[in-house]
Amino acid sequence: MYIHFFKKSNLKSISIIILLSIMMMLPQIYDQSVIFGADSIFHFNRFYDTAMQIKTGHYSYFMSLFGFNQSGRIVNALYGPMFAYLNGLLLLISGSWFKYQVLSGILINIVSGIGFYKLARKLGSHNEIAIGIAFLYMNTYWITSWSHSQQFTSFGASLMPYVAMQAVGMISKRQPKINILALAIVMAIVIQTHMLSAVFAVCLLIPFALVGFYLTSEKYLFMRNGVASVLLTLCLTGNVWMGFLDVSSNNKLIQPHPQTDLLSLSTNLSLDGGDSFGKLGILSSFLFITQIVLVLQKTSLISFENKLITIIGTLFLIISSSLIPWNIIGDSIPALDSFLQFPFRLVVISNILLLLSISLTLSQIELVKNFQTVNLPIAIVSVLSIVFFTLNFQGLSGISKSWNGDYVLSNRININFKKTDPAVIRSAFRDDNLGKPFTILQKSTPDYLPAHKDSKLWDDNNFHPYNENIKATFFNPLKVTKSIDSHNQLILKWQGNSKKVVTLPVYKYADSKMSLNHQALDNSKVQTTVVGAVRVKQVKGKNTFKIDYRPSRAFRYMSGLTVISWFILIGFGAIKLFNHIRFLLTKNMVLK
């Protein structure tokens, strides 16, 4: 297993994918630009927070001690916590927002490309075709949307090939099976990265698991391994789901803005060349329709695995589309309006499955027998990959140009500015102080803020959480200085001109512990704004406010279990690798 990865042919293919991954980022590298999408500033705050926690040694799993203007709001604990720390580490290593964006973009390309390549090869796709379709997958909308607009679903999409590897193992011809360790590790990584992508991963696995259970002659073993994998996954992600329960059960959190017209945000066919948000371009449409027709017409030449993968991929494509009455479903399940938001996101699943089936079809049907000098399948894949790459390259190049223009930010939705001079904004993002940009601009996204228990939230036409959030923090007129003490408490200090109630640029949750001027405050009696910003009665003169978050004992236990589980797993893997290397060395010595 281990030595197979380092075979010469494997290393050559992986080297090609790495080179192609770098080529995809050349427009941004050339322009030396920082690209801004709808969620850029939101995620930049997340990663700046973890970067500074790592740098300073002041850690808070829940509170934002540095990001989001040191407001103490809880974001990372609810949004891929461990992956946020990995991005924070990458940001520290990079040293600038430009380098971070380029490196993260290259890494997403590499992870997705190698994953798809290994997936296609696992099912018998020819090496050159596997490389070509992997490159095509790297240039699809859901992978490139991180580089183009910082859509976090790209990270989940880059991991989806590894989920699919476990799925196709469940329908193996020899004996459908579930690899307990591999499935648990992959799912744990996805959950630690992005919860919505984890839901998509489960959706991908379920149909394969059902078919595998039907096919296997060892149903008890199949089910036992499935249950064991689920339990191990829970142990490896206890910090995520227990952290979510810890916060959400005691607070009324503001969910992402609900999309009440889900149907308009489902998948539709487009005459555009490439894919875009909510639209499947003519190239992808042609590819997918061709694959479906070939499976129907060339049934005898198509393998069972290919047929099943095509059917499941097609089903998810239909589910994501406007053929489904999404508005009726949304009315019946209101949580989808905020959690899923865009049915088009389900294309992440159909995208990988249908591209995988295309790679298998081109490898299985002997289209080359009438061509003596040209390998037609490889030629087809090469042309398609180049077209997708060209569209992606042009798109990134166009977006990258905004950096040196008058607007700098290619997307300004819900961005608030203290300074609008393009030169000042560019200078802030080039500064060695990674937090400087957030002193002159900020995103007003209110996701996961603690609203009043009796608030109607998005149902209330007078509820404006974006404005309330930015008013309480970024544009708060109170002149406070913030610091973090040795106990990782957030400390706010300011001078009061008179005794009066003021709004502090910090948020409290049900488990927050607070003190004002060295007097402990009763959480239940502390007033807040509609979005949870703390309101206290200041005294004339010096005022000091301290706040930290004390999670439940259950969270601490589950986090401990998570750490122990990962250490055991890593130790087990290290021992297995050591024994494998020792076996190979012993074998070579005997042969000599």
Side-chain angles (χ1 to χ4, degrees):
M1 174 182 171
Y2 301 103
I3 201 69
H4 174 72
F5 184 85
F6 294 102
K7 280 185 176 179
K8 189 174 181 180
S9 60
N10 249 357
L11 289 175
K12 181 180 178 181
S13 301
I14 290 169
S15 298
I16 291 172
I17 289 171
I18 293 172
L19 179 62
L20 293 172
S21 298
I22 297 171
M23 285 176 56
M24 288 171 62
M25 299 301 297
L26 286 179
Q28 186 173 6
I29 295 172
Y30 178 80
D31 288 325
Q32 299 280 294
S33 61
V34 179
I35 293 173
F36 302 91
D39 296 324
S40 303
I41 303 302
F42 178 75
H43 292 303
F44 284 1
N45 272 278
R46 293 178 57 216
F47 304 150
Y48 171 69
D49 184 65
T50 54
M52 292 304 295
Q53 287 190 31
I54 295 169
K55 182 178 180 178
T56 63
H58 290 297
Y59 288 94
S60 176
Y61 179 86
F62 288 93
M63 292 172 57
S64 297
L65 296 179
F66 300 94
F68 301 99
N69 300 118
Q70 294 186 284
S71 61
R73 66 186 286 191
I74 297 175
V75 178
N76 282 329
L78 307 172
Y79 206 121
M82 291 302 101
F83 197 67
Y85 280 99
L86 287 178
N87 273 277
L89 181 61
L90 180 62
L91 177 58
L92 275 184
I93 293 170
S94 303
S96 73
W97 288 109
F98 161 67
K99 291 177 183 176
Y100 163 75
Q101 273 199 329
V102 170
L103 285 175
S104 62
I106 290 172
L107 287 174
I108 283 181
N109 296 337
I110 291 173
V111 170
S112 62
I114 291 176
F116 193 96
Y117 168 76
K118 298 298 290 183
L119 171 62
R121 292 291 288 154
K122 179 183 177 77
L123 285 174
S125 179
H126 291 170
N127 190 67
E128 290 78 6
I129 291 174
I131 294 173
I133 300 293
F135 184 46
L136 194 156
Y137 181 66
M138 292 156 60
N139 281 279
T140 56
Y141 175 79
W142 284 115
I143 299 300
T144 62
S145 58
W146 172 255
S147 301
H148 288 222
S149 57
Q150 285 73 61
Q151 292 184 43
F152 206 69
T153 311
S154 287
F155 285 104
S158 71
L159 296 172
M160 213 55 72
Y162 302 90
V163 177
M165 282 186 215
Q166 304 311 310
V168 297
M170 298 177 187
I171 58 167
S172 172
K173 278 183 180 178
R174 289 173 292 180
Q175 180 60 49
K177 65 178 182 178
I178 293 176
N179 187 319
I180 298 173
L181 281 178
L183 179 57
I185 292 171
V186 168
M187 284 305 300
I189 292 172
V190 176
I191 292 171
Q192 294 282 5
T193 301
H194 189 217
M195 188 60 76
L196 182 60
S197 294
V199 173
F200 291 161
V202 171
C203 291
L204 189 158
L205 290 167
I206 286 174
F208 287 93
L210 292 174
V211 173
F213 182 75
Y214 173 78
L215 294 175
T216 184
S217 58
E218 299 180 355
K219 288 181 169 43
Y220 170 76
L221 181 64
F222 190 91
M223 184 177 289
R224 187 201 69 182
N225 287 357
V227 172
S229 183
V230 169
L231 292 175
L232 181 54
T233 301
L234 291 175
C235 290
L236 294 170
T237 58
N239 65 302
V240 180
W241 53 266
M242 195 64 228
F244 179 82
L245 290 174
D246 200 64
V247 179
S248 61
S249 61
N250 296 319
N251 299 276
K252 187 169 186 177
L253 302 178
I254 299 176
Q255 297 302 314
H257 193 288
Q259 304 294 335
T260 54
D261 187 5
L262 293 178
L263 188 63
S264 67
L265 299 165
S266 56
T267 306
N268 291 282
L269 300 182
S270 169
L271 294 178
D272 295 336
D275 302 337
S276 58
F277 193 85
K279 295 179 181 179
L280 202 62
I282 195 168
L283 289 174
S284 293
S285 301
F286 173 76
L287 278 176
F288 295 164
I289 292 171
T290 301
Q291 169 62 19
I292 295 166
V293 171
L294 280 174
V295 167
L296 293 174
Q297 290 186 344
K298 304 284 186 180
T299 303
S300 60
L301 294 175
I302 304 294
S303 68
F304 166 74
E305 289 93 341
N306 193 349
K307 292 174 190 173
L308 184 61
I309 292 167
T310 302
I311 291 170
I312 296 173
T314 303
L315 286 175
F316 276 109
L317 183 60
I318 293 171
I319 291 170
S320 75
S321 75
S322 54
L323 296 174
I324 303 300
W326 276 107
N327 285 348
I328 296 175
I329 295 173
D331 291 339
S332 302
I333 313 173
L336 289 177
D337 294 352
S338 288
F339 184 70
L340 177 61
Q341 289 185 300
F342 316 111
F344 175 65
R345 285 172 165 167
L346 289 164
V347 171
V348 167
I349 303 173
S350 60
N351 193 32
I352 186 164
L353 293 180
L354 289 174
L355 285 178
L356 173 60
S357 62
I358 289 168
S359 73
L360 299 180
T361 298
L362 289 172
S363 298
Q364 290 167 352
I365 297 179
E366 296 299 328
L367 295 173
V368 297
K369 59 186 178 183
N370 295 322
F371 297 84
Q372 300 299 319
T373 58
V374 179
N375 191 325
L376 187 57
I378 295 176
I380 292 172
V381 170
S382 299
V383 171
L384 288 171
S385 299
I386 291 171
V387 171
F388 272 79
F389 169 71
T390 302
L391 290 171
N392 170 49
F393 196 89
Q394 290 175 341
L396 185 61
S397 180
I399 296 168
S400 183
K401 299 298 181 189
S402 298
W403 170 253
N404 292 310
D406 293 335
Y407 287 94
V408 184
L409 278 69
S410 52
N411 189 310
R412 292 192 168 206
I413 297 175
N414 293 317
I415 301 293
N416 295 268
F417 298 85
K418 287 183 177 177
K419 295 180 181 179
T420 57
D421 186 330
V424 173
I425 295 173
R426 280 191 287 266
S427 176
F429 277 96
R430 287 171 174 151
D431 201 279
D432 291 337
N433 176 7
L434 296 170
K436 189 170 183 180
F438 311 125
T439 64
I440 63 172
L441 59 85
Q442 190 55 274
K443 177 90 171 179
S444 58
T445 305
D447 296 4
Y448 314 121
L449 290 177
H452 282 162
K453 288 284 186 179
D454 58 352
S455 174
K456 294 180 181 179
L457 301 186
W458 298 110
D459 295 329
D460 186 352
N461 291 329
N462 295 317
F463 182 64
H464 302 292
Y466 286 86
N467 292 337
E468 292 292 333
N469 173 33
I470 211 71
K471 185 171 66 175
T473 54
F474 190 60
F475 287 130
N476 192 313
L478 194 65
K479 304 298 181 184
V480 303
T481 58
K482 297 179 179 179
S483 60
I484 299 126
D485 67 12
S486 58
H487 300 291
N488 296 325
Q489 294 183 103
L490 190 59
I491 303 173
L492 284 69
K493 294 181 179 181
W494 73 98
Q495 287 293 126
N497 296 324
S498 62
K499 287 185 178 181
K500 64 177 181 178
V501 175
V502 294
T503 299
L504 301 180
V506 68
Y507 295 102
K508 85 166 185 75
Y509 295 77
D511 290 319
S512 296
K513 304 299 178 185
M514 297 162 283
S515 68
L516 177 63
N517 298 324
H518 310 294
Q519 295 293 318
L521 299 177
D522 184 340
N523 190 311
S524 63
K525 295 180 180 179
V526 174
Q527 295 180 358
T528 63
T529 66
V530 69
V531 292
V534 175
R535 288 176 59 80
V536 297
K537 190 171 184 179
Q538 69 176 11
V539 297
K540 187 175 181 179
K542 184 179 179 181
N543 289 267
T544 302
F545 177 85
K546 295 183 179 182
I547 183 170
D548 67 355
Y549 185 88
R550 307 276 179 84
S552 66
R553 188 173 297 175
F555 171 78
R556 294 196 293 271
Y557 288 155
M558 287 310 306
S559 295
L561 176 63
T562 298
V563 172
I564 293 170
S565 299
W566 277 107
F567 270 116
I568 291 174
L569 199 61
I570 293 170
F572 175 77
I575 292 171
K576 199 170 181 180
L577 177 61
F578 174 77
N579 289 336
H580 186 76
I581 294 173
R582 187 172 63 176
F583 168 76
L584 291 174
L585 291 174
T586 304
K587 184 178 179 181
N588 287 336
M589 290 177 65
V590 171
L591 290 174
K592 288 180 180 179

